């Protein structure tokens, strides 16, 4: 992988080049619902991004200040994100599912100078510190700002954006990425996606998710491809319709969407006529789903393993044969080894289980965790980044994923800390003790289950606890089931024996 020259800007790389090479080409097709869509040329989108950057600068924000983006899934979200990066600021994408207290934590931890928010989304009544709030309607005025930024002033190693993900401490941690991370994504575009300027990519995710920002926007735009995104009501039938209408050549989603497509919608030849292959990430792909998809559609399915700290870095693809049950090989140019689970920097031989590690020189790797030095030091061993995924590398270099060494869960493709959920549940007045784990069902789906000890039996019901959690946690973090037990299993050191919780299910 080639490292960039010192003067470098992520937005300029993914948008500025295309605005000059393909000014009239459609860069983004955003479908609001079946009857309404916006089509943005590369030139128009980049020009508007420059206007947004100018508006940010006019607010007196200094280079490197953080901007929390809490907007609905729409082109405005992308304009705010790439406009902030172009202006030398650091955007912090925020999920629409978060509750007000979760947003308050992000603003406080990131020491944000600006919050861009829709009045319809939960957010703190009083903004922490010196953060300024701009409503969505005010941000819309930025799109026509008359003094655009015409040239960025960032360096390759400057921070570009922060993605918050669940941490082992029970609080989300901010993954800080540099501008040069876009070049570190080149192996993704080549080995997994196989994307070129002739492609039309459809991604099913929302723009606050790093999977969508990366695979759905940064990577296709870095090659001059067109992206199709959808922001309407959830409807499994929309995806085949969009494939057909926009002659989609690449489709990216999570295993759950593929299961729904196979179960609830008949995929006809006209839907798949232009589809070259599909991509799946976010959670482990079952062999059964892989086989069902390929046998039903005849369209190749390529899996990737990744994390917020580096995005996808292990994959199969057009040039890497699929081995059912394995997410593939380390992408070209990446140095990936298996290290002992407990300690040590010497790679294990083929066939031995350990922690999957990436060399810290990888340009796609994060700069670090924002304001969390202890979390950051825990994931580095000398020259290796160790994110907590267990696996085995076979003689051919394929990785076989064995789950998480730490206790982060991954239901429906979201990384969620059980400690964060337990911390919130223990704030309920009727809960004396709480243990949370991920339960894998026979259907191939995994759910979050909370095992609770009540202070007084019969003082609370499972439905009441779930409803209460929904007011304090994002929807994807909330337990799907509650089990009341008399005592949580604990070790001799009084630590929660989380793996034993499944026996109470």
């Amino acid at each position: 992988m080639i490292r960039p020259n010192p003067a470098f800007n992520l937005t300029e790389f993914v948008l500025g080049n295309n605005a000059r090479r393909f000014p009239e080409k459609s860069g983004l097709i955003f479908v609001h619902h079946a009857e309404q869509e916006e089509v943005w040329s590369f030139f128009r989108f980049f020009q508007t991004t420059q206007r947004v950057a100018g508006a940010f600068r006019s607010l007196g924000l200094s280079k490197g200040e953080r901007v929390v983006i809490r907007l609905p899934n729409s082109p405005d979200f992308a304009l705010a994100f790439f406009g902030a990066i172009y202006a030398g600021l650091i955007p912090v994408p925020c999920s629409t599912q978060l509750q007000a207290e979760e947003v308050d934590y992000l603003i406080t931890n990131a020491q944000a100078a600006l919050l861009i928010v829709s009045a319809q989304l939960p957010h703190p009544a009083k903004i922490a510190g010196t953060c300024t709030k701009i409503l969505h309607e005010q941000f819309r005025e930025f799109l026509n700002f008359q003094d655009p930024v015409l040239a960025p002033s960032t360096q390759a190693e400057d921070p570009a954006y922060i993605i918050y993900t669940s941490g082992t401490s029970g609080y989300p941690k901010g993954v800080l990425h540099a501008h040069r991370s876009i070049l570190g994504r080149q192996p993704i575009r080549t080995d997994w996606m196989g994307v070129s300027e002739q492609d039309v990519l459809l991604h099913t995710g929302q723009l606050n998710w790093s999977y969508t920002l990366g695979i759905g926007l940064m990577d296709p735009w870095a090659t001059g491809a067109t992206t199709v995104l959808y922001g309407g009501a959830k409807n499994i039938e929309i995806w085949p319709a969009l494939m057909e209408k926009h002659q989609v050549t690449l489709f990216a989603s999570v295993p759950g969407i593929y299961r729904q497509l196979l179960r609830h919608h008949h995929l006809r030849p006209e839907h798949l006529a232009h589809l070259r292959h599909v991509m799946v990430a976010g959670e482990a792909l079952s062999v059964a789903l892989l086989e069902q998809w390929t046998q039903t559609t005849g369209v190749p399915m390529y899996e990737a393993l990744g994390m917020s700290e580096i995005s996808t870095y292990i994959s199969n693809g057009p040039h890497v044969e699929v081995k059912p049950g394995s997410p593939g090989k380390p992408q070209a140019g990446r140095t990936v080894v298996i290290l002992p689970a407990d300690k040590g920097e010497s790679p294990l031989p083929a066939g031995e289980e350990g922690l999957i590690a990436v060399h810290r020189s990888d340009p796609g790797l994060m700069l670090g965790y924002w304001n969390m030095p202890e979390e950051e030091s825990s994931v580095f061993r000398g020259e290796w980044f160790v994110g907590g995924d267990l696996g085995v590398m076979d003689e051919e270099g394929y990785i076989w994923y064995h789950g998480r060494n730490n206790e982060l869960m991954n239901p429906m493709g979201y990384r969620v800390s059980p400690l964060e959920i337990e911390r919130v549940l223990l704030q309920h007045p009727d809960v004396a003790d709480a243990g949370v784990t991920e339960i894998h069902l026979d259907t191939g789906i995994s759910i979050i289950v909370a095992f609770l000890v009540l202070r007084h039996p019969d003082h609370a019901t499972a439905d009441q606890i779930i409803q209460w959690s929904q007011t304090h946690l994002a929807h994807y973090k909330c337990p799907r089931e509650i089990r009341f037990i008399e005592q949580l299993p604990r070790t001799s050191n009084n630590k929660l024996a989380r793996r034993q919780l499944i026996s109470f299910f």
Side-chain angles (χ1 to χ4, degrees):
M1 288 176 282
I2 301 174
R3 286 184 176 271
N5 294 322
F8 188 80
N9 183 271
L10 186 152
T11 298
E12 167 65 27
F13 183 84
V14 300
L15 281 170
N17 293 333
N18 291 329
R20 292 182 286 272
R21 292 171 60 207
F22 317 113
E24 301 305 317
K25 182 178 180 179
S26 297
L28 174 64
I29 301 172
F30 195 93
V31 182
H32 292 277
H33 52 74
E35 304 300 324
Q36 181 189 2
E37 62 184 35
E38 291 183 55
V39 180
W40 289 77
S41 69
F42 278 118
F43 180 80
R44 179 182 166 223
F45 198 95
F46 181 56
Q47 185 183 59
T48 307
T49 297
Q50 291 176 304
R51 295 184 185 280
V52 171
F56 281 140
R57 290 265 187 93
S58 73
L59 298 176
L61 299 176
S62 301
K63 180 180 177 181
E65 289 199 276
R66 278 71 59 203
V67 178
V68 173
I69 304 173
R70 185 153 175 75
L71 295 176
N73 192 38
S74 67
D76 289 355
F77 194 109
L79 288 164
F81 180 81
F82 289 103
I85 291 175
Y86 198 75
L89 305 172
I90 304 174
V92 183
C94 185
S95 170
T96 56
Q97 299 186 54
L98 298 185
Q99 298 299 327
E101 60 194 76
E102 296 174 290
V103 178
D104 184 64
Y105 170 81
L106 263 61
I107 294 170
T108 303
N109 183 262
Q111 300 170 307
L114 185 65
L115 168 67
I116 306 171
V117 63
S118 167
Q120 285 69 49
L121 294 175
H123 60 277
K126 184 178 180 181
I127 305 301
T130 58
C131 184
T132 300
K133 180 173 73 174
I134 291 182
L135 294 176
H136 192 184
E137 292 74 14
Q138 296 170 289
F139 174 76
R140 292 289 299 174
E141 298 175 6
F142 287 12
L143 309 189
N144 297 309
F145 190 74
Q146 295 304 305
D147 189 16
V149 172
L150 298 180
S153 58
T154 55
Q155 304 294 308
E157 293 294 325
D158 285 345
Y161 61 96
I162 295 176
I163 298 291
Y164 272 86
T165 185
S166 284
T168 55
S169 66
Y171 288 91
K173 56 190 177 186
V175 179
L176 182 64
H177 279 286
H179 284 264
R180 46 86 170 156
S181 65
I182 188 63
L183 293 189
R185 300 182 65 90
Q186 180 58 46
I188 300 174
R189 300 189 282 274
T190 303
D191 286 15
W192 183 37
M193 302 176 70
V195 61
S196 72
E197 64 188 60
Q198 285 79 36
D199 280 309
V200 177
L201 181 142
L202 172 62
H203 198 294
T204 65
Q206 296 201 342
L207 282 167
N208 55 62
W209 193 13
S210 58
Y211 183 18
T212 313
L213 284 170
I215 306 302
L217 285 185
M218 294 185 198
D219 293 320
W221 283 356
T223 60
T226 299
T227 282
V228 182
L229 298 175
Y230 174 69
K234 292 183 179 180
N235 180 357
I236 196 61
E237 295 184 359
I238 192 67
W239 307 120
L242 291 177
M243 289 179 195
E244 180 181 2
K245 178 179 180 181
H246 295 288
Q247 299 183 5
V248 169
T249 58
L250 302 175
F251 181 68
S253 192
V254 295
I257 293 293
Y258 291 105
R259 278 192 292 266
Q260 292 179 47
L261 285 169
L262 292 169
R263 186 182 306 130
H264 300 297
H265 193 85
H266 180 60
L267 293 167
R268 299 191 299 272
E270 55 266 33
H271 297 144
L272 311 174
H274 300 275
L275 204 57
R276 193 164 72 252
H277 59 255
V278 301
M279 296 163 291
V280 59
E283 60 180 294
L285 173 66
S286 70
V287 174
L289 179 56
L290 171 64
E291 292 177 347
Q292 186 183 7
W293 172 267
T294 52
Q295 290 172 6
T296 301
T297 67
V299 176
M301 173 179 275
Y302 299 133
E303 184 184 5
L305 176 66
M307 60 186 79
S308 300
E309 290 84 348
I310 193 173
S311 191
T312 59
Y313 64 108
I314 292 167
S315 61
N316 44 51
H319 310 296
V320 178
E321 179 185 356
V322 174
K323 278 191 176 183
S326 167
K329 296 181 178 182
Q331 293 163 352
R334 302 198 193 277
T335 304
V336 178
V337 299
I338 306 296
L339 296 183
D342 49 359
K343 60 182 179 180
E345 301 175 30
S346 299
L348 294 171
E352 290 195 24
E353 182 186 80
L355 289 170
I356 306 171
V358 186
H359 200 270
R360 68 189 308 163
S361 63
D362 194 308
L365 190 62
M366 67 172 185
L367 289 169
Y369 295 130
W370 179 264
N371 278 346
M372 285 193 171
E374 291 185 3
E375 286 260 13
E376 186 173 322
S377 63
S378 70
V379 297
F380 284 103
R381 290 191 199 173
E383 294 302 306
W384 300 103
F385 167 78
V386 184
D389 286 331
L390 285 168
V392 170
M393 182 181 290
D394 67 19
E395 296 285 354
E396 297 181 80
Y398 282 85
I399 298 292
W400 300 84
Y401 177 64
H402 288 184
R404 302 283 305 170
N405 187 50
N406 58 35
E407 295 179 330
L408 286 182
M409 304 178 293
N410 198 31
M412 305 303 292
Y414 295 96
R415 290 176 69 185
V416 180
S417 169
L419 297 176
E420 181 180 2
I421 302 171
E422 289 163 2
R423 175 176 55 80
V424 171
L425 290 174
L426 287 169
Q427 296 171 10
H428 190 285
D430 292 322
V431 176
D433 206 355
V436 173
T437 193
E438 182 178 11
I439 300 293
H440 297 271
L441 305 179
D442 292 339
T443 57
I445 297 173
S446 64
I447 61 172
I448 296 174
V449 179
F451 298 85
L452 305 180
V453 178
L454 295 180
R455 298 185 185 279
H456 304 285
D458 304 324
H459 272 208
T461 67
D463 286 343
Q464 289 171 343
I465 297 290
I466 289 175
Q467 290 175 10
W468 187 86
S469 71
Q470 290 171 347
T471 66
H472 297 272
L473 290 167
H475 177 72
Y476 63 86
K477 299 178 185 177
C478 292
R480 295 298 184 267
E481 289 198 27
I482 302 289
R483 297 294 171 95
F484 297 117
I485 58 179
E486 294 184 0
Q487 185 176 351
L488 292 180
R490 294 191 177 276
T491 67
S492 58
N493 295 326
N494 203 36
K495 292 184 178 180
L496 177 64
R498 196 178 306 280
R499 292 185 179 181
Q500 295 180 27
L501 288 174
I502 192 172
S503 65
F504 295 92
F505 184 71

